[in-house]
Amino acid sequence: MASAQLTDEELFSQLKRLGFTPGPVTENTRPVYLKKLKKLREEQQQRGSRVLKSRASTAVSTAVSIAAPRPSRHDVTQLSAIRKPGRKSSVLGFSSDESDAETPLKRKGLAKHRRITVYHQQLAGPTDKQNIAGTTLNSFSSPLDHQSVHESSRHYDESGDEGEEEPENPHSVNGREVTGLNKTAGEYSDSDEDGVLSPGDRERNLPEPRRSRTAAPISPSDNRDSQVKGKNSSPNPPGFRKMVRAEDEEVNGEELDPFGGSQRYARKSIYVSLAEQRGAKAGKNHFDSEDGAARSNSGARFSVGLRPRFSGYSSPAQTHNKGNHSNHSPPPNHAYSPTAPKKKLSVPEDELLLQFRREEPASSGSFSAHYLSMFLLTTACLFFLLLGLMYLRMRGSVEADGVIKRHPFGSEFDQSYAEEEKELILTLLLSLHNHLAVVAGQHDCGDPQHPNRSLSMNQSATYLQAQNQEFERFTLVALEWIIRTDQELGLRLLGEDPHVPVTDVSEISQLESTRPRMPFTCRLRKAFVTVGSKVLLVAAAAAMVWGVVRYLKFRWRRQEEETRQMYDMVERIIDVLRTHGEACQENQDLLPYLPIPHVRDSLVLPQDRKKMKKIWGRAVCFLSANESRIRTETQRIGGADFLVWRWIQPSLSCDKANPMPSKVWQGQAFPLDRRNSPPNSLTPCLKIRNMFDPVMEVGENWDLAIHEAILEKCSDNDGIVHIAVDKNSREGCVYVKCLTAEHSGKAFKALHGSWFDGKLVTVKYLRLDRYHQRFPQAQACSTPLKASSLRLSSTPSQQQTSSAS
Amino acid sequence: MSTTSQKHRDFVGEPMGDKPVIALSGIGETLGKKLEEQGFDKAFVVLGQFLLLKKDTEMFTDWLKDATGANSRQAGSCAQCLKEWCDAFL
């Protein structure tokens, strides 16, 4: 659209319809907003075309109808009047029908659904008026409707400035931009239609078609609205408007048509935008339309309250809009909705929105994926189960010896007997074998019926006879054959003496099966028991090994700790002795040696003495063995013999020089004023940089030294509650948390720009939540830390005195 | 402090008062002159424009580019500078 045609208000409402809340349009901001409008429209067009393709046009019709009822504020009074009630009813009438339609639509989900439902509702409502719109819309492809409905729902949100689009009633349109109805209906239909009709249709710039579509005055606005992507389900008009706007946007490609003429354009754009924007822009449009609609309509239909909701919904719904649009929209919506929103609509809207919202996450592409995974899992489980069962069954079932078919007796057997005799013999053996197997199995399972695992000859004979009379003849023969054969048949013939192999049939007294066939449950039970015991064994072994390992580690660590403590003690003793030695030098009255117990008692706190006894002992031994500057001797002090230490003054005094560079504060580099520090302390957390170089640090507890240094530097500040030295940072970062921002400000002033250990320290503020993320233990700290009073080692004066021996 | 210039820090560190428009980060002599021609002779007037655009850095950047021919870096720097100033003082 030619910018010349746009007044400030039009531009404003247009932008609002697209879901973007602009600031005041002045001579300076005008060009910016024009550019923005163009951009938004292009986006809408893209979205609209995408949407169109995907959806049926039923939405369109509904949209249309909805649009109709929606009085695009500016329009037709009666329409508006009718629309209002219609709208309400439509909104109320909306049930979750639309949601079903919406569900497949995975776009912005919530807003969309809402819109569509609202849309449909609206459509359902004032049908009379909307008929006009409906018819027009219907004329469009019905598939579009559906889609447009969806889209329009989307557009709902966006349609803001329906009025803008109407060139015919610039004022009314402008005034009533908000009426969502127009937008919704129009948008729906428009969008759908546009989508279906494709840009060609857009050329319908005639107000009539639009009017018919929108059924009423709204049409012009509708056209506009159609541009809106989809009306939020919220206020009907907004939705409709959105559609219109969507259309518009689509058409925007060819320069914003005059709004007036853009009626059809708006409509089409709605469709197109619905279709196109459905895709990427859906979110954006949603938002835009929502915002726009909300804004413009705010007065009209939807309560302001709805708007924030929509905004809320839109935001989660992926909006392509620039963030700022979204951000801006909600607030302005409120601001811009001049007329009191229809509260009644808000309630059902809310519920609808909620419905949609919940449905939204449910329906998604992952739905099928979830089921698929479950299905696969159950299949695998079943498969393995079956496999196990089959295996067990196989194991359990004694394979038919196949004696019937094949026998282990060799060809000799075949030759000696006739066929049926052979069969008899083999059957006999088979049944005997099975019976024995059962007996043995049951015996093994602990069945009290069979105390013996084996059957005596008589029992076997009786059994066989019971099976088949004919067996009697062949019993002995069969047994003889068994003896003759070398193969393992699963039958064992035992004589009087179990260990002597049976050589003759007459010797047989017991028959036993070597392959017991146990009942299934018994087998299962045994299997479980076996497996379980084995697993337990393995687990026990592993646990033992693990326990041993842990114990060893613990021991090792403890030893290390003790050694460290010992060395620490040794150092302290040396220091004490050294100072004493130095003092002795200056003051000749002092004895040049110190009794060991005295040293111990002065170094170790009373409550620790018992604990440190062992360490102390080790330290003493270490000193006597390894320390050349200290001599252990026995002296008589005050009438009692003491083991004493004498500090032997070394000839060189470099020994005392600290090998480590002194960690001291060395002054301030620059005065802190407003230029190089924030005027007010922003957060209670500080990040201090360049306090150390992790590569160069030696010793174990240099980080404690850093702690101390910081605490000493801020000794006047009793608000530091947590210090953390990042040992691995190349920048030498230390994190500090204070009680309040004020304390951190003081610490900042004390630390920032100071020289420490030859490095220039810088401080900056950190966000409290980030700090807590990083150091969760700091959340609980609330007691101010104090520098340990042992040594103020980080202040220069002390260092120098100590080093000067 | 790591990626902001001294000018930025100078501006953001204190209320702008009556500072000229070239005190803004990213605005040099040339751009300053152009702004002054359009009536933005003081930094607070540019602030006014920024606020009119609802403190939207993107829009402000666009505007600045259109109004003065600034490049993205300059405009972005100016927008960022104003934004931080607003965060600190507004």
Side-chain angles (χ1 to χ4, degrees), chain A residues 393-592:
Chain A
R393 197 166 299 136
M394 291 289 288
R395 278 268 308 267
S397 71
V398 177
E399 63 199 36
D401 282 346
V403 172
I404 311 290
K405 297 178 191 61
R406 50 170 188 83
H407 53 82
F409 297 142
S411 53
E412 205 178 302
F413 183 76
D414 286 333
Q415 288 157 12
S416 345
Y417 296 97
E419 193 59 39
E420 52 214 40
E421 287 176 349
K422 238 191 336 186
E423 231 178 276
L424 268 179
I425 294 179
L426 294 174
T427 325
L428 178 155
L429 278 173
L430 182 62
S431 66
L432 180 63
H433 177 275
N434 289 346
H435 180 68
L436 281 173
V438 169
V439 167
Q442 283 178 336
H443 172 81
D444 285 341
C445 273
D447 197 339
Q449 283 178 21
H450 298 86
N452 286 342
R453 204 161 184 266
S454 53
L455 283 181
S456 68
M457 272 298 287
N458 289 343
Q459 284 173 329
S460 318
T462 324
Y463 171 78
L464 284 172
Q465 264 179 8
Q467 299 290 316
N468 192 342
Q469 290 297 341
E470 306 253 345
F471 283 166
E472 189 179 356
R473 287 189 282 144
F474 295 106
T475 314
L476 292 174
V477 173
L479 290 175
E480 199 179 308
W481 274 106
I482 288 180
I483 295 174
R484 265 195 237 167
T485 186
D486 302 327
Q487 295 180 21
E488 171 59 44
L489 288 174
L491 272 181
R492 197 160 33 169
L493 305 171
L494 302 170
E496 292 294 333
D497 185 0
H499 299 295
V500 175
V502 173
T503 48
D504 189 41
V505 183
S506 53
E507 288 181 19
I508 298 174
S509 66
Q510 303 271 0
L511 293 108
E512 195 172 324
S513 165
T514 51
R515 299 188 208 150
R517 185 193 306 187
M518 296 183 269
F520 182 66
T521 51
C522 181
R523 251 184 297 129
L524 205 58
R525 207 164 8 109
K526 287 205 168 187
F528 275 139
V529 165
T530 326
V531 169
S533 57
K534 288 203 183 111
V535 165
L536 274 175
L537 267 172
V538 169
M544 256 191 354
V545 168
W546 177 76
V548 165
V549 164
R550 280 287 299 271
Y551 176 66
L552 283 176
K553 269 174 66 171
F554 168 71
R555 279 277 305 270
W556 177 73
R557 223 170 342 145
R558 204 158 49 120
Q559 275 175 359
E560 266 210 354
E561 180 68 22
E562 277 180 9
T563 319
R564 190 187 63 80
Q565 278 181 333
M566 196 247 327
Y567 283 124
D568 187 50
M569 182 67 65
V570 164
E571 276 175 23
R572 281 159 67 183
I573 294 171
I574 291 176
D575 281 335
V576 165
L577 287 175
R578 182 189 299 141
T579 49
H580 180 76
E582 288 163 9
C584 281
Q585 269 203 323
E586 293 147 17
N587 183 356
Q588 296 297 335
D589 291 339
L590 291 173
L591 293 171

Side-chain angles (χ1 to χ4, degrees), chain A residues 20-24 26 28-29 32-33 35-36 39 322 324 328 332 674-676 679 752, chain B residues 1 6 9-10 12-15 38 40 49 52-54 56 58-59 62-63 66 88-89:
Chain A
F20 166 68
T21 323
T26 67
N28 275 326
T29 59
V32 187
Y33 286 135
K35 268 186 20 182
K36 181 110 199 112
K39 223 182 333 180
K322 307 174 197 173
N324 44 18
H328 293 308
R674 285 184 308 176
R675 277 164 48 103
N676 47 26
H752 182 60
Chain B
M1 229 188 197
Q6 186 59 40
R9 292 196 287 274
D10 289 349
V12 175
E14 59 180 356
Q38 299 186 24
F40 298 88
Q49 182 70 5
L52 275 184
L53 293 172
K54 312 190 68 119
D56 182 346
E58 240 181 275
M59 306 236 355
D62 287 343
W63 169 80
D66 288 341
F89 295 102

Side-chain angles (χ1 to χ4, degrees), chain A residues 658-672:
Chain A
N658 282 343
M660 278 177 12
S662 54
K663 287 191 173 302
V664 288
W665 293 98
Q666 292 154 336
Q668 194 100 3
F670 47 82
L672 285 176

Side-chain angles (χ1 to χ4, degrees), chain A residues 692-695 702 725-733 735 774:
Chain A
F692 57 87
D693 190 351
V695 173
W702 53 268
V725 173
D726 188 358
K727 290 196 185 187
N728 302 324
S729 73
R730 281 179 299 113
E731 289 182 336
C733 292
Y735 298 89
R774 180 132 185 218

Side-chain angles (χ1 to χ4, degrees), chain A residues 93-106:
Chain A
F94 272 138
S95 45
S96 23
D97 314 337
E98 301 309 315
S99 51
D100 294 337
E102 290 305 303
T103 319
L105 269 183
K106 308 270 201 234

Side-chain angles (χ1 to χ4, degrees), chain A residues 17 162-167 223-225 227 244 248 259-260:
Chain A
R17 203 181 319 160
E162 291 174 326
E164 288 291 331
E165 294 176 318
E166 290 301 329
N223 289 342
R224 290 281 169 98
D225 297 336
Q227 206 162 36
V244 176
D248 280 346
F259 283 114

